[in-house]
Amino acid sequence: MERERPKISVVVPVYNVAAYVEKCLASLAEQTYPNMEVIVVDDASSDGGGELCDGWADRDPRFQIVHFPENRGVCAARNEGVSRASGAYIAFVDSDDYGEPALLETLYRALAESQADVSVCGDDGLGLEAAPAAVYSREEAVRCMARRSPFLWTAWGKLFPAEAVKSCLFDGRFSYGEDLLFFYQVLQRVDRIAYVPAPLYHYVFRQGSAVNEGVTEKRCTVLAILDEICGDAALRRPELADGFRQIAMNTSVRLAMQAVESGMPGDRLSGCLQRFQQHVRRHFTWKALALRPGKKDAAAELLLYASTAAFQAAGAVLRRRGTAKE
């Protein structure tokens, strides 16, 4: 009877994470959900990680490995996995992360029992505040993302209907923040999102990952993505627009604070802060600001909107306080 449950396809893009990929794939091999396949796409790894993946395919028939002859990026790797997926549902797992054995089982039960379209679990690693289990509408889900609680727009930690994923492939124009555009596109095709607070997905902070590179031009591509999303939402999904405007403002503030904390040279810092200020001003509305539950977050957005010099001074004070506590 268990075998009659729909197949779940798990897509794992792999690139130069040999130190982590074994733990990731082992966690998938231990999944309690009985009907799954794991599609691992090796994006021309040069550290021996591809060979480690081959070993899993040799030992476990649920695993299939695809090797790219040259590096094509995470979007291409995920899209290749999606194209090969035969399951009714698709989940994504990053190759430096790992899941609890009940990850897929819990995501599927949450989706099936609530008759939702997408399910989301809690995570361990991002420090997001958990909330009670709930089923959210599309608009409520965007408000959750705008509050950064209880979940974000990551592709991982979620279970999607394969039909929606196959019509919303990852956009290779962007090298950072591609999950955000993907999730926005998926939202156009679903109505209900089930959330379960259990922290079943483990996000691993890794030196060398994009999120730990500092304020780079690569990371700033997320601003262009948010410009695209906010413009589209204003025209086609006005009920979602303020939620994404808040995400845009908060993203700029977070990047601005990281720029201040990084101690980058004054001229470069000034240019960065002006860029982030322009982004905040472009997307600012009072309704969007009101979506921030924390007064400090809202105050930071207003401060950057008003003055880069004042924002820099406030950030420097916070940086000194943090240094003094260390």
Side-chain angles (χ1 to χ4, degrees):
M1 190 69 178
E2 288 287 292
R3 288 286 176 184
E4 294 178 3
R5 285 197 282 176
K7 180 186 287 186
I8 294 176
S9 299
V10 185
V11 176
V12 185
V14 174
Y15 180 65
N16 286 354
V17 287
Y20 301 87
V21 71
E22 279 283 338
K23 186 170 186 176
C24 172
L25 299 185
S27 76
L28 296 177
E30 295 170 357
Q31 290 298 302
T32 59
Y33 190 82
N35 190 9
M36 72 163 191
E37 63 178 359
V38 180
I39 305 168
V40 181
V41 183
D42 168 34
D43 192 16
S45 296
S46 58
D47 64 348
E51 289 77 5
L52 293 176
C53 296
D54 286 334
W56 281 97
D58 293 339
R59 297 191 297 272
D60 193 325
R62 297 173 298 174
F63 285 71
Q64 58 175 290
I65 315 298
V66 181
H67 295 282
F68 282 173
E70 59 185 21
N71 182 251
R72 294 170 55 189
V74 66
C75 291
R78 282 177 171 167
N79 289 344
E80 180 68 24
V82 169
S83 72
R84 294 170 179 262
S86 61
Y89 297 96
I90 294 177
F92 297 96
V93 174
D94 285 354
S95 53
D96 45 0
D97 300 337
Y98 62 98
E100 290 294 315
L103 172 65
L104 297 180
E105 178 79 38
T106 303
L107 287 173
Y108 175 73
R109 288 194 182 278
L111 186 150
E113 292 175 0
S114 65
Q115 297 185 331
D117 304 297
V118 174
S119 56
V120 184
C121 70
D123 70 89
D124 168 45
L126 288 182
L128 301 180
E129 183 178 347
V135 178
Y136 297 104
S137 67
R138 183 190 296 120
E139 183 175 359
E140 289 168 340
V142 173
R143 290 177 178 270
C144 287
M145 296 190 299
R147 295 192 301 265
R148 298 182 66 86
S149 174
F151 60 86
L152 294 180
W153 47 84
T154 57
W156 48 257
K158 300 174 177 66
L159 186 62
F160 301 96
E163 183 179 359
V165 173
K166 289 176 182 288
S167 60
C168 299
L169 296 177
F170 292 86
D171 193 330
R173 292 178 298 160
F174 302 108
S175 55
Y176 185 86
E178 67 284 343
D179 284 19
L180 178 57
L181 181 57
F182 167 77
F183 198 55
Y184 172 69
Q185 293 171 337
V186 169
L187 283 174
Q188 315 308 306
R189 294 162 173 81
V190 302
D191 295 311
R192 291 160 55 86
I193 296 90
Y195 166 75
V196 289
L200 301 175
Y201 189 98
H202 297 275
Y203 174 81
V204 178
F205 280 95
R206 175 174 59 86
Q207 291 296 324
S209 65
V211 75
N212 289 322
E213 289 178 348
V215 181
T216 62
E217 192 59 36
K218 177 180 178 180
R219 289 193 65 201
C220 287
T221 59
V222 71
L223 303 181
I225 292 173
L226 283 161
D227 285 342
E228 185 169 317
I229 290 174
C230 289
D232 185 79
L235 291 173
R236 299 176 59 238
R237 296 287 182 181
E239 74 279 8
L240 307 182
D242 282 318
F244 281 106
R245 290 184 185 114
Q246 171 53 230
I247 293 171
M249 291 192 295
N250 188 254
T251 299
S252 286
V253 166
R254 286 173 173 272
L255 286 169
M257 184 57 70
Q258 289 174 24
V260 171
E261 292 174 347
S262 70
M264 67 173 59
D267 289 346
R268 184 182 169 208
L269 176 59
S270 178
C272 281
L273 293 183
Q274 288 176 15
R275 180 180 185 180
F276 300 142
Q277 182 189 60
Q278 291 169 2
H279 200 251
V280 168
R281 289 178 172 180
R282 186 178 308 135
H283 298 295
F284 181 89
T285 69
W286 290 106
K287 287 184 178 179
L289 185 70
L291 294 177
R292 291 306 301 171
K295 292 182 179 180
K296 290 183 179 180
D297 287 338
E301 291 170 8
L302 282 173
L303 190 60
L304 183 57
Y305 179 97
S307 169
T308 58
F311 184 91
Q312 181 177 348
V317 170
L318 292 174
R319 183 186 178 204
R320 287 196 296 272
R321 288 178 179 174
T323 303
K325 292 179 180 179
E326 292 177 356

